[in-house]
Amino acid sequence: MKKNGFVAPIITAAAAVTALIIIMITVSGNESGEKVADNNQTTTAEQTQSQETESTTTTIEEEAGSNPKNKKAAEELEKKAEKKVYLTFDDGPSANTDAVLDVLKKYDIKATFFDIEKEDEAEKAALKRCYDEGHTIAIHTMSHDYDEVYASLDNWIADVEGQQKYLEEVTGVKTFYYRFPGGSSNTIAAKRGTNIEDCIKWLNKNGFTYYDWNIDNEDSTGVKFTPSQLADNVLDYMSDEGDYMILLHDTNAKGTTVESLPKIIETLQNKGFTFCQITDNSEYFQHKKYDQVGD
Ligand SMILES: [Zn+2]
């Protein structure tokens, strides 16, 4: 399913062309990696293919390339919301991504996924599903190996750009939303020879926006919290006012995080919070700001 940008419009096509679709998907699945690179330039061809169903073609063309896919609706929701809360999932896709998406779907809310590079086809399909279901796709890192990522500024740039490319290949969308491995306030980078301030300058110069968080559910601390405790790690640190960006993880080991979501969502909805996703209009949740580092 590497040619996801190609498959998406087809899935919505009329039943009459189902047989043809199956053949096409089979063929695309057998094609070599170099075809994936071509895929970025085949938008016109894709749109031609989907013209068999006029109604869906219009929707797809309107939203082509936007991140999130439902950009306008996401921005509207964000604009109207009085108290905003952003669920952000780091380190996916994973074997739990589908379960996360199922919960989000049940409550009809959107989130933001800061992903890493995965070669597993099922996980890649889950990543594509994130985009298709209207969530925001964002860059985290290719390897998440601090020694590698922060070995030098050049290494770090290659990591950001490489992950941007990977996400585009899988989801069909180019994203400029970024989260530092360890957050922008990390001391890991400096210890390995990379000045985080240089990274921030590079991000600003190249059109990227980075996001940290102001609430952490502590699912990466190594402590074995129950789902209810994980929810409390979030809820106990929030007041009834203000805007919050919550750090959560989407990894194979974080089934309890998935189970904690209903309590978090229901409690915050009852308090009048609106669940938003990152858009170009989102406020910055940044531990270390550009204006603190000069130019
Ligand atoms: Zn991470």
Side-chain angles (χ1 to χ4, degrees):
M1 293 286 281
K2 283 190 174 179
K3 296 187 69 177
N4 286 309
F6 181 64
V7 173
I10 293 170
I11 287 170
T12 60
V17 293
T18 302
L20 179 62
I21 290 164
I22 290 166
I23 292 162
M24 287 170 132
I25 290 172
T26 307
V27 169
S28 71
N30 288 338
E31 280 167 356
S32 66
E34 84 194 40
K35 270 287 184 191
V36 176
D38 294 341
N39 193 36
N40 297 334
Q41 291 152 17
T42 56
T43 310
T44 310
E46 286 162 23
Q47 286 162 355
T48 308
Q49 291 284 349
S50 61
Q51 276 167 7
E52 290 166 47
T53 46
E54 298 264 338
S55 57
T56 53
T57 302
T58 308
T59 312
I60 291 162
E61 276 184 341
E62 241 177 37
E63 299 183 339
S66 66
N67 180 34
K69 190 176 183 181
N70 55 331
K71 192 173 157 69
K72 275 186 197 153
E75 288 174 351
E76 277 302 305
L77 185 70
E78 205 173 26
K79 211 166 152 185
K80 281 191 303 193
E82 281 181 28
K83 303 191 290 184
K84 294 184 272 287
V85 59
Y86 298 81
L87 294 178
T88 66
F89 294 89
D90 283 16
D91 300 356
S94 77
N96 278 315
T97 306
D98 280 318
V100 170
L101 291 172
D102 289 345
V103 175
L104 298 177
K105 195 177 209 174
K106 184 185 164 202
Y107 289 94
D108 194 23
I109 61 174
K110 306 296 182 201
T112 302
F113 291 83
F114 290 92
D115 286 303
I116 68 178
E117 185 187 38
K118 295 290 190 72
E119 287 308 323
D120 181 87
E121 290 299 325
E123 292 181 359
K124 283 165 79 172
L127 168 56
K128 179 65 165 56
R129 186 184 160 198
C130 289
Y131 178 69
D132 289 343
E133 295 193 356
H135 303 285
T136 299
I137 302 300
I139 302 160
H140 195 29
T141 168
M142 293 178 83
S143 67
H144 216 301
D145 179 338
Y146 293 136
D147 288 338
E148 200 178 303
V149 174
Y150 291 124
S152 67
L153 183 64
D154 284 348
N155 269 35
W156 173 83
I157 292 171
D159 184 64
V160 175
E161 291 182 331
Q163 183 59 9
Q164 182 186 46
K165 190 163 178 275
Y166 165 84
L167 291 171
E168 187 174 8
E169 284 172 1
V170 177
T171 67
V173 70
K174 191 167 194 170
T175 177
F176 289 87
Y177 305 129
Y178 175 71
R179 175 170 284 162
F180 284 96
S184 70
S185 56
N186 80 69
T187 53
I188 310 158
K191 281 178 190 156
R192 286 159 179 78
T194 298
N195 184 343
I196 212 90
E197 298 177 2
D198 292 339
C199 300
I200 293 173
K201 286 174 200 165
W202 185 90
L203 290 171
N204 290 336
K205 210 167 82 184
N206 290 282
F208 293 80
T209 309
Y210 65 97
Y211 293 85
D212 292 307
W213 56 89
N214 56 1
I215 296 278
D216 176 359
N217 79 335
E218 299 177 45
D219 64 359
S220 63
T221 56
V223 179
K224 289 202 183 314
F225 291 112
T226 64
S228 184
Q229 286 170 330
L230 284 171
D232 290 342
N233 288 346
V234 169
L235 301 170
D236 290 352
Y237 292 91
M238 293 176 66
S239 75
D240 289 347
E241 302 299 327
D243 297 332
Y244 294 92
M245 186 163 283
I246 303 174
L247 171 66
L248 310 149
H249 288 86
D250 168 19
T251 71
N252 294 350
K254 303 290 186 261
T256 46
T257 296
V258 184
E259 291 171 49
S260 76
L261 292 174
K263 182 175 175 181
I264 293 173
I265 295 167
E266 287 173 25
T267 305
L268 294 178
Q269 282 183 333
N270 287 338
K271 286 184 174 180
F273 282 93
T274 301
F275 283 88
C276 296
Q277 60 195 118
I278 290 177
T279 72
D280 291 345
N281 299 332
S282 301
E283 65 180 291
Y284 300 156
F285 291 81
Q286 296 174 334
H287 297 159
K288 188 160 215 160
K289 290 191 192 298
Y290 182 57
D291 58 13
Q292 293 169 336
V293 304
D295 56 11

